[in-house]
Amino acid sequence: QNLSFDKPSIIIANHTSFLDILAMIMLNPKLVIIVKKWVYKSLFFGKIIQYAGYIYAEDSPEEINKKAKELIKNGYSIMVFPEGTRTETGKMKRFHKGAFFLAEELELDITPVILHGANDILPKNDFLINPGTLTIKTLPRIKFGDKSWGETYNERTKKISKHFKSCYAQLK
């Protein structure tokens, strides 16, 4: 209900399963994910990811900003999993600052998306899909200029992470 692609944003989501990636890219074709080395260089996924124009997390900050600016100019939102990797337990990990730094650099809103249930359906390091329900809940956008979330991207990282985890616990 809070998800809009009318104006690009940095979309953040928790990461528990490979299904998270599929769930997110099905939301809208105007979405590009920042991906880690193993995905970008993967024999299976690599060429598809590169062809789709996804952003390589190992590039320099300048290169990432340049590519992100071009995508945003063309109406794309940038998707980041701020935990950096999938959890094996379903418990959310610490949020890294990259997504929040990028939002500040590009002056973009942040759209938090909570994913619940993917870890039960397809846990990390498993290849069998189990029956279950995947819930996607979009929280209201956090506006770029809203200082109630902090003055710096460091402060915003901590406050948004705390808020996100609280909303996740309520959904769970």
Side-chain angles (χ1 to χ4, degrees):
Q1 69 211 33
N2 294 307
L3 189 59
S4 171
F5 285 89
D6 295 340
K7 179 183 172 198
S9 68
I10 299 293
I11 298 174
I12 61 169
N14 55 304
H15 201 13
T16 63
S17 170
F18 181 73
L19 292 179
D20 302 335
I21 297 166
L22 300 175
M24 294 306 297
I25 63 174
M26 288 190 305
L27 293 176
N28 194 288
K30 288 282 192 172
L31 181 76
V32 170
I33 300 175
I34 296 181
V35 295
K36 290 174 55 170
K37 184 176 184 175
W38 82 265
V39 178
Y40 200 82
K41 302 285 185 178
S42 163
L43 293 175
F44 185 73
F45 301 111
K47 292 297 178 200
I48 297 167
I49 294 298
Q50 292 167 31
Y51 179 77
Y54 286 13
I55 298 171
Y56 183 37
E58 302 294 321
D59 281 341
S60 69
E62 296 80 19
E63 186 63 31
I64 290 171
N65 281 356
K66 179 182 171 190
K67 188 165 188 180
K69 283 179 185 176
E70 186 65 30
L71 289 163
I72 289 160
K73 187 170 78 175
N74 291 312
Y76 284 85
S77 288
I78 310 296
M79 166 69 224
V80 180
F81 293 106
E83 294 167 278
T85 189
R86 293 171 289 159
T87 175
E88 292 184 25
T89 63
K91 184 175 190 243
M92 237 181 283
K93 297 180 177 209
R94 174 181 79 78
F95 279 17
H96 296 277
K97 299 172 189 161
F100 308 95
F101 174 76
L102 194 59
E104 185 174 291
E105 286 285 304
L106 302 173
E107 298 183 358
L108 291 175
D109 297 346
I110 295 172
T111 304
V113 177
I114 297 173
L115 303 170
H116 179 267
N119 187 56
D120 297 327
I121 299 168
L122 185 62
K124 184 175 182 176
N125 300 322
D126 205 339
F127 300 100
L128 297 175
I129 296 176
N130 303 305
T133 301
L134 173 60
T135 303
I136 302 172
K137 180 177 181 175
T138 306
L139 302 177
R141 268 186 186 231
I142 298 169
K143 301 291 183 191
F144 167 70
D146 185 350
K147 298 299 182 190
S148 68
W149 295 98
E151 295 285 331
T152 67
Y153 71 89
N154 286 329
E155 293 172 0
R156 291 169 69 84
T157 301
K158 290 175 185 166
K159 285 186 178 182
I160 293 170
S161 174
K162 184 177 179 180
H163 172 69
F164 192 103
K165 290 173 183 176
S166 172
C167 292
Y168 178 83
Q170 288 175 358
L171 178 65
K172 189 176 171 181

